[in-house]
Amino acid sequence: MTPEHAPGFDTDVIVIGAGPAGAAAASQLVGLGHEVRVLERSQFPRFSIGESLLPQCMSYLETAGLLETVQAGDYQLKNGAAFTRGAKTTAIDFREKFTSGWGTTYQIERADFDQRLIGAAAERGAKVDFGVTVTDVRPDDQRPQVSYVDENGKTTTLTARFLLDASGYGRVLARKLGLERDPRLEPRMAVFTHVEDYIDDPDYDREKILIGVHPEDATIWYWLIPFANGHASVGVVGAIETLAQYGDSPEARWHALIDAEPRYRQLLRNARPVRAFSELKGYSADVTSLHGPGYALLGNAGEFLDPVFSSGVTIALRSSTMAAPLVDQLLRGESVDWQTQFETPLRQGIATFRAFVDAWYDGRLQSIVFNETQPDSLKRMISAVLAGYAWEQDNPFVTAADKRLTTLAQLCGYSPRQAQSSPA
Ligand SMILES: Cc1cc2nc3c(=O)[nH]c(=O)nc-3n(C[C@H](O)[C@H](O)[C@H](O)COP(=O)(O)OP(=O)(O)OC[C@H]3O[C@@H](n4cnc5c(N)ncnc54)[C@H](O)[C@@H]3O)c2cc1C
């Protein structure tokens, strides 16, 4: 049965954006009996970057009622991450981890994945408008308003009882309300494309994302994310000025950087690009607050760290599955403390990922990953975080991530001087 909204409002909840965060929130809220309007700027399917999921997100998809549609997608299974640097190759298997729960997930093309999620949310009762761009927002704890422009240039204003901003890189509320703050991560860029990969190396494991490290500059790293159809997403990340030196165009830079890394060069020697070469710069983002009168920010509309451990979609889905029951509580007339029930606990897990991201770029985590002598128990704790279990308070690499990573890196022979230099 399609839910009906409270009288005197145009709908119960407006969700800006139909990416993973918006689709999951909408799906969960209609399941809780509320009417939801999703306003999405693009027409779907549309390309998006962010194609390697983490096992933890499977339980969030389940909570949102979206797991079945994902499982029906015939996507490439993913069970871990492999790492390559110079002659060294190593791997982490997410099924061998400290925390219980899903140990596998998928590598997905987002055009298809996002369409599936929002399609399933619509089937569950969410009302979704595509091709409508939110242009104005008036926050209010009783009656927030949202204005959007459709593809004919017509402006419409809607009222709701609550507003969820899941506009991702659109960052509608952060921009409109001046919430943006320094993300405290160096501005980096990614250059990427999709290829028909033609990888024939019998040692290559399609069930793992492959993360490579540039042989001369350990702050440059590579991703190779194979899909089920023989295509793969291949990208390189580094400081903006550093990558700019590799050529005059995204295509030139991509080729020069792939040529510079021996394992990638060998694996992709027959690869053919199947979409335009793209670049994204300065994508890390943060806000002063993830909530305000009558609204909350989900996924990338709030904070985005860095692509290195594929945490973006997992954090986005986590934020939605935390927010939906709170919105439900509010709409049923109960009080909600968005700071203690949403922002603080959500940010705890993001802080764990941030500690891992920082430790990747300063070299500590690379020392750990490429050193295979650590005890199995510690490996499992790290595997759990990299599998997305960044909110589990019984894992010391969650509760004291930075300290634990520093100590373990030192035991693995890390010294700060090693960070920017060639492989040990
Ligand atoms: C280089 C790179 C690689 C990445 N790799 C990974 C990865 O491997 N795994 C991973 O999990 N994450 C990855 N990410 C992160 C991932 O892309 C995001 O975290 C994820 O897409 C966030 O989902 P979301 O739903 O919050 O936002 P989005 O997916 O960005 O969805 C937001 C939606 O809002 C719509 N919108 C925007 N503005 C408006 C408006 N004004 N009105 C209406 N609609 C609007 C957009 O059209 C879009 O459909 C990567 C990011 C980068 C930069």
Side-chain angles (χ1 to χ4, degrees):
M1 201 180 69
T2 310
E4 283 184 20
H5 62 265
F9 295 86
D10 293 313
T11 188
D12 289 329
V13 183
I14 295 171
V15 177
I16 309 173
S27 178
Q28 202 171 336
L29 279 164
V30 289
L32 291 166
H34 304 292
E35 193 192 87
V36 182
R37 285 281 298 267
V38 182
L39 305 174
E40 167 56 49
R41 180 171 62 185
S42 318
Q43 294 291 347
F44 276 29
R46 55 97 179 87
F47 175 84
S48 175
I49 198 68
E51 299 144 326
S52 191
L53 302 180
L54 299 182
Q56 166 73 95
C57 83
M58 303 295 272
S59 64
Y60 304 148
L61 290 167
E62 197 167 9
T63 305
L66 297 174
L67 183 59
E68 252 177 51
T69 190
V70 172
Q71 287 176 319
D74 283 332
Y75 295 124
Q76 171 65 54
L77 189 84
K78 173 183 172 187
N79 61 26
F83 297 85
T84 183
R85 185 178 74 178
K88 283 189 181 174
T89 301
T90 177
I92 290 176
D93 190 322
F94 292 153
R95 292 163 299 186
E96 294 160 15
K97 61 179 172 12
F98 177 78
T99 311
S100 59
W102 285 85
T104 60
T105 186
Y106 300 109
Q107 296 176 151
I108 45 97
E109 290 191 65
R110 286 285 300 276
D112 186 72
F113 178 77
D114 288 16
Q115 189 172 30
R116 262 177 188 283
L117 296 192
I118 198 63
E123 267 172 34
R124 283 162 59 88
K127 298 181 175 178
V128 188
D129 293 348
F130 293 98
V132 295
T133 301
V134 171
T135 49
D136 199 14
V137 178
R138 256 170 273 157
D140 185 85
D141 58 3
Q142 298 298 317
R143 201 181 168 79
Q145 288 185 32
V146 169
S147 301
Y148 65 84
V149 180
D150 68 18
E151 287 175 335
N152 300 317
K154 184 174 164 242
T155 299
T156 305
T157 299
L158 296 177
T159 56
R161 298 179 66 199
F162 201 81
L163 168 62
L164 289 170
D165 183 4
S167 61
Y169 305 110
R171 305 185 61 70
V172 172
L173 274 168
R175 287 191 174 134
K176 166 83 189 152
L177 305 180
L179 303 175
E180 292 188 283
R181 74 170 176 196
D182 177 3
R184 293 164 289 153
L185 285 163
E186 187 187 334
R188 297 192 171 88
M189 82 184 226
V191 47
F192 52 91
T193 189
H194 283 183
V195 297
E196 198 153 9
D197 61 61
Y198 294 105
I199 296 175
D200 54 7
D201 184 331
D203 293 334
Y204 176 66
D205 182 356
R206 291 191 83 84
E207 295 187 348
K208 292 186 174 61
I209 183 175
L210 178 66
I211 297 178
V213 180
H214 190 285
E216 279 119 37
D217 181 346
T219 65
I220 300 178
W221 64 271
Y222 299 67
W223 81 72
L224 172 52
I225 302 172
F227 302 126
N229 61 357
H231 291 189
S233 173
V234 187
V236 191
V237 175
I240 295 173
E241 323 74 62
T242 311
L243 291 206
Q245 291 163 16
Y246 278 82
D248 294 335
S249 66
E251 179 170 3
R253 289 194 265 274
W254 185 90
H255 281 294
L257 285 156
I258 296 298
D259 274 353
E261 204 295 314
R263 178 89 176 123
Y264 272 67
R265 188 172 61 230
Q266 182 263 335
L267 286 174
L268 296 170
R269 66 192 184 288
N270 299 320
R272 285 198 221 124
V274 291
R275 74 180 306 278
F277 292 84
S278 308
E279 284 180 351
L280 275 174
K281 289 181 191 163
Y283 36 68
S284 302
D286 198 4
V287 285
T288 49
S289 176
L290 293 175
H291 60 90
Y295 71 84
L297 309 186
L298 305 179
N300 273 30
E303 182 168 4
F304 177 66
L305 296 171
D306 187 274
V308 67
F309 298 119
S310 308
S311 60
V313 172
T314 297
I315 293 172
L317 294 173
R318 169 88 186 190
S319 68
S320 302
T321 53
M322 285 177 76
L326 297 177
V327 175
D328 174 54
Q329 217 172 298
L330 204 73
L331 299 192
R332 284 190 285 104
E334 294 168 26
S335 67
V336 171
D337 181 341
W338 283 92
Q339 187 61 37
T340 57
Q341 294 178 266
F342 178 70
E343 175 150 359
T344 303
L346 179 63
R347 295 247 202 208
Q348 271 170 2
I350 299 175
T352 301
F353 281 123
R354 177 187 291 277
F356 274 65
V357 168
D358 287 343
W360 175 262
Y361 285 105
D362 68 24
R364 283 174 294 158
L365 196 51
Q366 295 188 28
S367 303
I368 294 169
V369 161
F370 289 105
N371 181 316
E372 298 202 22
T373 60
Q374 330 129 25
D376 201 43
S377 57
L378 298 185
K379 254 185 151 175
R380 284 173 173 270
M381 289 175 188
I382 290 173
S383 172
V385 175
L386 297 185
Y389 295 88
W391 287 268
E392 306 302 321
Q393 296 297 309
D394 55 349
N395 184 347
F397 279 83
V398 168
T399 47
D402 185 59
K403 198 167 133 222
R404 288 281 177 162
L405 288 167
T406 300
T407 307
L408 185 55
Q410 282 162 354
L411 291 172
C412 292
Y414 168 80
S415 71
R417 265 180 301 122
Q418 190 188 317
Q420 306 280 327
S421 63
S422 51

